[in-house]
Amino acid sequence: MDCLGDQQGRSSSASVLARCCSWEAVQRRLPFLYWIPKYSLQWLQLDLIAGLTVGLTVVPQALAYAEVAGLPVEFGLYSSFVGCFIYCLFGTSKDVTLGPTAIMSLLVAVYTSSDKSLAILLAFLSGCIQLVMGLLNFGFLLDFISYPVIKAFTSAAAITIGFSQVKNLLGLKDIPRQFVLQVYETFHKLSSTRFGDAILGFLCIAFLLALKWVKDHFPRTYRGMPRCYRFSYIIIWVTTTARNAIVVVAAGLVAYSFEVMGLSPFVLTGKTAEGLPQFHLPPFSETVGNRTVSFSEMVQKIGVGLFIIPMMGVLESVAIARAFSSQNNYRINTNQELLAIGLSNILGSFLSSYTVTGSFGRTALNSQTGVCTPAGGILTGLLVLFSLEYLTPLFYYIPKAALAAVIICAVAPMFDMKICKELWKVKRIDLLPFLATFFLSFWEIQYGIIIGILISLIIVCIPVAQPKIKTTDTGGLHMMVMSGLSFPAMEYLRDAIYKTAFEVSPPRSLNLDFSHVNVLDYSVVIGLQELIHEFQSQGLSLSFSGLQSEVLRILLAADLDGFKHLQNIGSGVHYEEECTEPLLHNVNKSQNH
Amino acid sequence: MDCLGDQQGRSSSASVLARCCSWEAVQRRLPFLYWIPKYSLQWLQLDLIAGLTVGLTVVPQALAYAEVAGLPVEFGLYSSFVGCFIYCLFGTSKDVTLGPTAIMSLLVAVYTSSDKSLAILLAFLSGCIQLVMGLLNFGFLLDFISYPVIKAFTSAAAITIGFSQVKNLLGLKDIPRQFVLQVYETFHKLSSTRFGDAILGFLCIAFLLALKWVKDHFPRTYRGMPRCYRFSYIIIWVTTTARNAIVVVAAGLVAYSFEVMGLSPFVLTGKTAEGLPQFHLPPFSETVGNRTVSFSEMVQKIGVGLFIIPMMGVLESVAIARAFSSQNNYRINTNQELLAIGLSNILGSFLSSYTVTGSFGRTALNSQTGVCTPAGGILTGLLVLFSLEYLTPLFYYIPKAALAAVIICAVAPMFDMKICKELWKVKRIDLLPFLATFFLSFWEIQYGIIIGILISLIIVCIPVAQPKIKTTDTGGLHMMVMSGLSFPAMEYLRDAIYKTAFEVSPPRSLNLDFSHVNVLDYSVVIGLQELIHEFQSQGLSLSFSGLQSEVLRILLAADLDGFKHLQNIGSGVHYEEECTEPLLHNVNKSQNH
């Protein structure tokens, strides 16, 4: 039982407190208490292999994604270990691994303009927002983001991120960040391509693609396999799985050799900060030049990113958790996931991390390697800490083109246009939010997402906007609304009433039967008030019948001028029969004034 | 009949063409053809009085609103006459008067940063968007903006606009535009108030308030009134109605007297362009310094304003038209209104107008004065043209504090917080979109509006997200979904299925009865695919029954892997009885691969 659940609204505060402090509640908030008592040596073995595998992927990816975020490479690693430890304690999915991702890095670049202090502050604030959302059980908000919107955003992000790396692949300089200008300038400056970078970059891509192909097409291992086969199998598996690390190390060695020979054919990563990040408060103000930028100015700079980044972070992580929980047959708790990711971001920000979320690629790797519990993340985290402590001096020689190749190969599968064909075949109207999100995302990411969500919600609301209305004319004019009335339906109802009552001669009084109306919002109340006045001004009356108690409460609370309602004997479901002898309750307020 | 209506989808193109060119269609597109044959001398008289009255209000307001938009004062007048003439031909409401308004001026200031060329281009583009929306019958989109969102936005705008004039009222300089900074700087610089401006400004406000009070409390005229009473009544009516013009003229005279004496106690409007605006193409590029800003750069600068401004323009105008048509018992045509306002903006932009929309204050004045047809607007337009041709040299002497007073008195009634109490009483959840829109509008107008709309749509969708589900267990496990399934409902359905089928031991196969499901979207299809896989992975099956033809088409088009459906004999409404002997149609795709 969740101590913040809405079912407990009516219980006494003492019992709520008791339930909050119960063992179940503690277990719910610290899910590792579920699996730790059952932990076995076999699980440990599998978790260690998975942790190591993910670690070998996260280190090169972290360096590359920091580049996407426009931050120094060490920030990628700073962001890669806190999530592993925190998620192990608070996460509800065994597969998810938190850390820097391509999309989150892109968003951070957009909303912080690659300012370190802003990025760290944003991680802290996003974490707070996610934590509060989790504590308030706001996870349901994620259900209002439709699949076509997510797909369109991901595809657009894949193109944006992939293209942003073309400049590093070709060694181009002074390329602006805005997508349209970037495409223009990249093509404009194509002639100043540095051949060293381009050759290395394309070689790395070819290598990564080849290793991926081998991984995908390699036959699976089986029990009775001869030992020599088995051994070569393991070598191939390790090579293909750790391909990012291998490519980056190889490219680094090549670059080092050239440097030793006194040649510099590649743009290198260059000097990076060494050692572990220091633990200190996130920066609540910063000094630029000789001016102090205050907290409120920093928040203003981040702007709508403060809404988009926590939402997208949670969305990405929860979508991945749902996908793998569904594949591996376990259940996740959305609100607890929110909590875990929020805490990771908050604590991370004390260690110079930028915003983290669930990584699809590494989560898939984790799952395939056969991870048993989130404990696998501990080894991943330790591996990142080890790299930070001992390997940073070596990062100097990593060519930027090699990191660009890693990113391009990582985001390419995110681009998926087959869905267009699917949508055309299955449900054409869902192409609208897809296309709107896709194209607007190139212009400004937030408008892509928000307007996509808006359009998909409007599509959902179209049936709500056209409630079924039954008109009967036995003696008086009766109109029965067959479902709840929310604001999108008001004009439709008004039209129907005009056609029935006013566009006939002579105009007629009307009785509105609300027996099936269980929802009524303020905009509708205002609309009904206007309708009552229109009927009054023509010397006619608009009365209501079959009001359910909540609807009656709303209409009475609104103190409608000239409101009349007929109280039915009975439930009001079989309207025509029961309404022959209604009791007239005239609650005409205008006469009381 | 409308030639673009969706009911005509199936008729032949020839008959559509015939209908488009019919007399009714022409009348629908040129609504003045309805009233012109009936036009009488009495109507002319009333229209002339109304046109004159509105004209006396629009001239001072236009000067003041141009100041809000951050444009030279003559631009207010340039924007005040085209709409009058166009609306007379194309408008469907007798009361609405198009022209510059406080809110539209604020939006223009925000999105064009007070750049003349941008403002004119924006008018042209907004007009095109509104025209296309009208031609495509997209007026229904306005129904998705709820009353609390409109109210919150208007109240926030009233504060923003009113406060933006405090600097002119007090003669302060170098006040930034952003609201928070503006408030801070205004209070910061309070000590450098110019006393001349402040005294004049507050006197003007006092005068305007007094005259408004007299107008509101003056007894109505009646038939047997003695002539002398009647005469004084007319004088008072004219004085109170034309109070804006009187205050501005009086303040101008005072300022002129001081100038003649060699004193300058007031900040004056200063030199304005004289004469009528020239007719030329809207600026599709502009030259700033020695650089040419291209069309695409201009559009980028306007940004999301290109979406917000046409929508808000239409919303404001249609909301006003609806309010007065309801009050005066006639009907408007939303799509034709879109057309009229779109054409006004397009043609206006050829005459250096910025974006126009319906003005609430002047429309109310028009209606109260007893206008009979939109022809009243012609005199208003002529009066504006007269002012432009002959009065512009006099505008030099108008003190800015007097214009500030006019604006503050015009926007003050737009601020309405009583609605908070109403919402609390009537429907508390509607406070959410209200408060979100209100507070976010101070930060950035577009987020206020868009996020307000989003929240109110989510509230509408909450019942959609929790469809009623009936579970029966007679032999097999059956689950009946009682309404359409859209994406917000997917997680809810998944939860219900987990609880029923998986969280029991042993887990069980399930039959989903979709007899009541008439809507199904792509996100739900993807969710169902995942569910089918989960059942399969446990060696169980998920089958469907009672599929309506459209739902079946969608599911078949989606080519679901492992999709099975039972075809019912009969309608499927009385599920339990009919499902006893279903015909099993196994459409298991996985076996065909």
Side-chain angles (χ1 to χ4, degrees), chain A residues 326 427 430 520 522 534, chain B residues 326 331 427 430 520 522 534:
Chain A
S326 150
K427 185 105 185 190
D430 283 355
L520 204 68
Y522 189 74
E534 282 170 60
Chain B
S326 150
R331 299 223 67 194
K427 184 108 186 187
D430 283 355
L520 204 67
Y522 189 74
E534 282 170 60

Side-chain angles (χ1 to χ4, degrees), chain A residues 287-348:
Chain A
T287 311
V288 179
N290 49 9
R291 206 176 83 81
T292 308
V293 181
S294 71
F295 178 69
S296 71
E297 279 173 278
M298 289 173 84
V299 170
Q300 279 240 334
K301 267 194 203 165
I302 299 174
V304 75
L306 223 47
F307 163 79
I308 296 286
I309 288 194
M311 280 302 282
M312 292 312 294
V314 163
L315 178 68
E316 204 177 340
S317 196
V318 169
I320 291 166
R322 279 184 185 159
F324 284 90
S325 72
S326 150
Q327 187 180 304
N328 297 333
N329 284 314
Y330 58 86
R331 299 224 68 193
I332 59 145
N333 175 336
T334 307
N335 292 312
Q336 180 65 24
E337 288 291 304
L338 272 154
L339 216 93
I341 186 176
L343 282 175
S344 299
N345 278 322
I346 294 175
L347 256 93

Side-chain angles (χ1 to χ4, degrees), chain A residues 476-515:
Chain A
L477 200 56
H478 299 291
M479 217 179 218
M480 193 176 203
V481 183
M482 304 307 287
S483 64
L485 281 176
S486 295
F487 66 87
M490 193 56 223
E491 276 307 303
Y492 185 80
L493 178 68
R494 191 197 300 274
D495 269 348
I497 291 179
Y498 263 93
K499 281 205 187 105
T500 325
F502 291 159
E503 287 172 9
V504 291
S505 69
R508 304 176 61 184
S509 289
L510 177 71
N511 175 266
L512 268 181
D513 185 344
F514 272 13
S515 352

